[in-house]
Amino acid sequence: PKKNIVYMANNNFEQEVSQAQYVGLHIQEGDKLQILVSAFDEIAVRPFNLSTMSKTGNPEAGTSSSNKGITHSEYIVNSNGTILFPVLGSVYCKGMTKKQLQEDLESRLKRYLTDPLVIVTLANFNFSVLGEVKSPGQKTSTNEKLNLFQALALAGDTTYDGNKTNIKLIRYSDNEGKDTVVSLDLSEASIVNSPYYYLQQNDILYVEPDLNKQVGVNTNSKVDQWIKYGGVGLGLLTLIFTLTRK
């Protein structure tokens, strides 16, 4: 029987799952951020929100509502890792978690507002799932706290031929300046303690076929070749036999 089809097959999975920790998404270039600023004085807070800043006569910042696919309250992280925030100007946020950006903005806004409150959400959490899954392709999640199992669920789960003991995760590393590849064993409950248990923006999951599927594909390929060559050989013999009879 196959041994690579059960998730978290060992016996201590409840203890392992209880120890899983989520540190939050790290903001990347190209991310679309929705940022809402609130405070006790509703009039004073208007210049700091894209949806209300036009009422104050301030110049535009962030992204305008005329851009296709972008709402009037979204900020795009540019190639420099910054967003253009009303009044505050350029704010570096690449590599930060949402909580870190929230705290940074609140600290800056205290110069202008009393007890400002900032809410940051990611509008385009995208990832891709490839290989032995029922619905491969790029996926978008409304849930930013997305773990490996939830990501596979959005792809319809692995097929019967998917190897759960050697799933590849491809993630861009800012430190190395390139994609890194990590092998993950989802049959082990300890996977929940992995730093790769929760997905980051633009992660790629690849579920490779198990050995039986790989052997089967190679065997079928060889059989197809023999059938093709056999057909050609039989055709030649038939032609020779026909010519010799004449």
Side-chain angles (χ1 to χ4, degrees):
K2 295 182 65 173
K3 298 180 180 180
N4 59 355
I5 62 174
V6 180
Y7 291 120
M8 298 193 293
N10 57 18
N11 296 325
N12 63 336
F13 69 91
E14 291 183 356
Q15 177 183 351
E16 297 284 359
V17 169
S18 67
Q19 298 175 3
Q21 295 184 352
Y22 176 68
V23 296
L25 294 175
H26 292 276
I27 297 171
Q28 301 180 16
E29 175 186 337
D31 281 357
K32 296 179 182 178
L33 304 176
Q34 293 182 342
I35 303 176
L36 176 65
V37 180
S38 60
F40 180 77
D41 190 334
E42 295 182 359
I43 296 178
V45 84
R46 285 181 181 177
F48 302 98
N49 285 308
L50 293 177
S51 58
T52 57
M53 62 179 295
S54 60
K55 299 177 182 179
T56 66
N58 282 10
E60 266 191 65
T63 59
S64 69
S65 58
S66 61
N67 290 339
K68 185 177 181 181
I70 303 171
T71 70
H72 61 276
S73 61
E74 290 179 359
Y75 301 79
I76 295 183
V77 182
N78 62 30
S79 58
N80 296 322
T82 64
I83 57 174
L84 187 60
F85 200 84
V87 181
L88 300 181
S90 182
V91 176
Y92 188 84
C93 59
K94 183 178 179 180
M96 291 183 178
T97 63
K98 293 190 307 173
K99 183 177 180 180
Q100 289 172 331
L101 177 58
Q102 170 191 324
E103 292 174 348
D104 180 54
L105 291 174
E106 287 177 348
S107 176
R108 295 170 185 251
L109 290 169
K110 286 180 180 178
R111 178 182 174 184
Y112 308 94
L113 302 170
T114 301
D115 296 328
L117 176 64
V118 176
I119 298 176
V120 180
T121 56
L122 180 65
N124 63 330
F125 181 31
N126 299 320
F127 65 97
S128 299
V129 186
L130 305 173
E132 289 294 331
V133 291
K134 297 173 184 176
S135 177
Q138 186 180 72
K139 308 296 179 181
T140 300
S141 172
T142 55
N143 177 21
E144 298 173 11
K145 186 180 178 181
L146 189 78
N147 63 43
L148 293 166
F149 300 108
Q150 291 170 320
L152 289 174
L154 289 175
D157 201 3
T158 63
T159 65
Y160 179 77
D161 296 314
N163 183 2
K164 294 180 174 64
T165 65
N166 191 25
I167 290 179
K168 300 292 192 301
L169 183 144
I170 304 170
R171 175 175 295 173
Y172 182 78
S173 170
D174 285 323
N175 294 333
E176 299 183 20
K178 63 179 181 180
D179 288 330
T180 57
V181 181
V182 180
S183 295
L184 303 170
D185 185 353
L186 300 194
S187 70
E188 291 290 333
S190 59
I191 187 64
V192 300
N193 294 317
S194 168
Y196 302 98
Y197 179 62
Y198 289 102
L199 268 63
Q200 293 288 331
Q201 170 82 311
N202 299 318
D203 277 356
I204 301 173
L205 287 176
Y206 171 65
V207 182
E208 66 177 22
D210 64 12
L211 185 58
N212 293 332
K213 175 69 175 292
Q214 295 180 43
V215 171
V217 170
N218 291 332
T219 301
N220 291 338
S221 178
K222 291 180 180 179
V223 170
D224 290 341
Q225 289 181 357
W226 280 110
I227 292 175
K228 181 176 67 175
Y229 294 147
V232 173
L234 181 61
L236 289 174
L237 288 175
T238 302
L239 178 61
I240 294 172
F241 178 74
T242 303
L243 293 175
T244 55
R245 290 188 62 184
K246 294 180 179 180

